[in-house]
Amino acid sequence: MTPDAGHAASADLLAIARRIALDVAETALEERRRGIAVEATKSTPTDVVTAVDRDTEARIRSMILDARPDDGIFGEEDDTHVGTSGLNWVVDPIDGTVNLLYDIPAWSVSIAVVDGPPDPEHWNAVAGVVVNPVSGEVFAASAGGGAHLGDRELRVNTEVALPQALVGTGFGYAVDRRRSQAEALLHVLPRVRDIRRIGSAALDLGAVAAGRLDAFYEQGLNPWDHAAGALIVREAGGRVGGPDGGRENDRLLLAAAPSVFDQLAALLHDAGVPAD
């Protein structure tokens, strides 16, 4: 496949992902306005699932299979659907469920298409969309096609020094992990401009791409939390990586403007992130 043909295919997949994400985002917002409650818990009693999570993923899966029946689907709330095309859709129906539950307007629908297995260390992201249903903002990117917020092309901030960097992060739900993350934060916070904790990794990554944050890091993320957002950062000119200079994984995801990436990686290493 020529580069032009590859870009065209990525753009076509992005168009499908955008259409699906916008459709389910509207329905999820309507459900939130009618009121929601916790339906179940996942890893801990504070890690919750709502009916909106499950209903939204079911709608996404149905729409993907209607449009692309040979593709695989890897999501948070249901079993993996194994496809035959080599492409996998990586789906987070609601990223930021606790924000959704408390009606904090920072939750999102995240849909990505990747070439390869549903493993961020071995896939190549092709297209990704992150929609904030409350604000209506749509972050989107395709491989080689750049990143956009609506019609605006996105670029990460440039010439950022670590002491002036605004850094986003997040915390896990397990008590031991939260404790170690808080201890690491004590090392990081005095050495950067400030810290933000938004509650949706997908929106944090969109914020890095849009220059609203200079960097974002988190431990314990699942592939669906960052599949779309990491591509959006990369297509906006940012760097994304994981432990020891490798690809992002569940031990660490770091996304940042190029000028601050290495400095922040070194700072996190000094703070014991990721823990072995």
Side-chain angles (χ1 to χ4, degrees):
M1 182 179 292
T2 66
D4 286 346
H7 293 167
S10 298
D12 289 344
L13 290 166
L14 177 59
I16 297 170
R18 186 197 304 271
R19 173 176 59 81
I20 294 172
L22 287 170
D23 184 282
V24 300
E26 182 178 356
T27 305
L29 184 59
E30 291 172 358
E31 290 187 31
R32 177 63 192 84
R33 288 169 174 165
R34 288 196 295 267
I36 62 170
V38 173
E39 187 174 84
T41 60
K42 294 182 282 188
S43 60
T44 73
T46 54
D47 189 6
V48 298
V49 180
T50 70
V52 179
D53 294 83
R54 290 178 172 168
D55 291 348
T56 301
E57 181 159 325
R59 285 193 295 272
I60 292 171
R61 284 173 175 259
S62 177
M63 295 175 75
I64 291 170
L65 291 174
D66 283 346
R68 302 276 306 182
D70 297 328
D71 294 352
I73 305 172
F74 182 63
E76 181 173 15
E77 307 302 340
D78 209 342
D79 294 335
T80 299
H81 171 79
V82 179
T84 58
S85 69
L87 294 176
N88 281 285
W89 294 69
V90 185
V91 174
D92 195 345
I94 303 294
D95 187 55
T97 299
V98 173
N99 285 348
L100 170 76
L101 182 66
Y102 281 83
D103 202 19
I104 297 170
W107 50 279
S108 60
V109 176
S110 176
I111 301 176
V113 189
V114 303
D115 184 5
D119 175 356
E121 294 190 84
H122 297 98
W123 74 38
N124 291 310
V126 176
V129 178
V130 175
V131 177
N132 180 332
V134 183
S135 69
E137 290 189 318
V138 180
F139 300 87
S142 61
H148 295 81
L149 173 54
D151 295 330
R152 177 167 69 90
E153 185 173 2
L154 296 180
R155 301 300 298 174
V156 298
N157 290 334
T158 59
E159 304 305 321
V160 181
L162 187 63
Q164 285 75 51
L166 183 63
V167 179
T169 193
F171 306 104
Y173 289 102
V175 171
D176 288 345
R177 170 159 278 170
R178 286 184 169 189
R179 182 178 293 111
S180 66
Q181 288 171 328
E183 290 169 353
L185 192 60
L186 291 175
H187 184 79
V188 173
L189 181 56
R191 294 166 175 82
V192 299
R193 183 189 297 275
D194 207 348
I195 292 289
R196 293 291 181 268
R197 195 275 200 261
I198 294 170
S200 165
L203 290 179
D204 282 313
L205 290 164
V208 173
R212 297 172 181 172
L213 293 173
D214 297 305
F216 167 75
Y217 76 93
E218 188 166 348
Q219 297 175 265
L221 291 176
N222 294 297
W224 49 78
D225 295 318
H226 59 79
L231 175 64
I232 293 167
V233 172
R234 287 185 168 109
E235 287 293 323
R239 289 177 60 186
V240 184
D244 304 318
R247 291 288 296 266
E248 62 272 20
N249 59 28
D250 61 348
R251 294 180 63 221
L252 176 66
L253 178 142
L254 170 59
S259 61
V260 78
F261 185 96
D262 289 334
Q263 298 174 69
L264 184 54
L267 179 61
L268 291 172
H269 182 271
D270 291 345
V273 178
D276 293 327

